[in-house]
Amino acid sequence: QVQLVQSGAEVKKPGASVKVSCKASGYTFTGYYMHWVRQAPGQGLEWMGWINPNSGGTNYAQKFQGRVTMTRDTSISTAYMELSRLRSDDTAVYYCARDRRQFSGYDSIDYWGQGTLVTVSS
Amino acid sequence: QSVLTQPPSASGTPGQRVTISCSGSSSNIGSNTVNWYQQLPGTAPKLLIYSNNQRPSGVPDRFSGSKSGTSASLAISGLQSEDEADYYCAAWDDSLNGFAVFGGGTQLTVL
């Protein structure tokens, strides 16, 4: 069965960076784009971007351009999302989530990780 | 401020039919399909409807979706207590390189 297992909660100071990992299993990692979506406390969902695990190509939401970097390590079926220059309003649960359609980053999202809480506080 | 507009709340009694609306624009809903997600408290979202009206395996047929022009809606018939959750619509937007947009979410209460 498809599983996305994320790294644990993080506490960071403003200005620091955070890197969240997402280990995939139960399917061919390179066949499905991986999205990153975040949710601030009590707020809605916000798409951050995706990575094509096959090519390493990325598509970032304009809001995060210059601050976010999505990478992957195909040898261990793991995707990463690094967010730099953290601010207090980056406090949120960060989800990795798989695109439903093979070789597409523009369908829906069918599997989600459990989420990683990132807290930014001085 | 979300790109897609949903009512912040909705409610119904068990057995009732409830609809949740989602309004967008020509660059998102008007040009692309709509997906719906259900988020139970404290859990990750779950795909409920994709491609406007398709249900993933395991989603009861009490849930249905539709789209017309730049708006979409989710209908839940035979409302059950376990349907109490947050519901989000989503679509791709053709602006820039293409990006996903979500509605602000609708909190459904089963009275």
Side-chain angles (χ1 to χ4, degrees), chain A residues 39 47 59 105-107 109 112, chain B residues 37 39 45 50 92 97-99:
Chain A
Q39 186 172 34
W47 182 79
N59 179 19
Y106 296 101
D107 198 273
I109 295 173
W112 298 69
Chain B
Y37 300 90
Q39 187 175 33
Y50 67 93
W92 288 96
N97 292 325
F99 61 97

Side-chain angles (χ1 to χ4, degrees), chain B residues 35-58:
Chain B
N35 308 306
W36 289 90
Y37 300 90
Q38 177 193 59
Q39 187 175 33
L40 298 171
T43 69
K46 168 191 171 184
L47 180 62
L48 203 60
I49 297 287
Y50 67 93
S51 298
N52 301 328
N53 54 18
Q54 302 299 302
R55 284 185 308 276
S57 172

Side-chain angles (χ1 to χ4, degrees), chain A residues 31-107:
Chain A
Y32 295 82
Y33 287 41
M34 192 73 78
H35 301 265
W36 289 88
V37 177
R38 75 177 187 179
Q39 186 172 34
Q43 302 301 308
L45 302 171
E46 183 175 32
W47 182 79
M48 301 180 68
W50 55 241
I51 182 168
N52 176 348
N54 188 44
S55 67
T58 55
N59 179 19
Y60 302 144
Q62 188 175 31
K63 174 178 178 176
F64 300 102
Q65 290 271 3
R67 280 210 305 146
V68 71
T69 304
M70 296 177 188
T71 56
R72 89 295 188 215
D73 184 337
T74 57
S75 68
I76 55 172
S77 299
T78 300
Y80 303 92
M81 187 284 299
E82 183 171 20
L83 190 62
S84 63
R85 303 195 299 278
L86 290 168
R87 307 184 292 255
S88 58
D89 61 358
D90 290 319
T91 294
V93 174
Y94 289 76
Y95 293 102
C96 62
R98 195 192 80 160
D99 200 280
R100 188 188 66 87
R101 192 166 11 152
Q102 203 170 14
F103 307 127
S104 169
Y106 296 101
D107 198 273

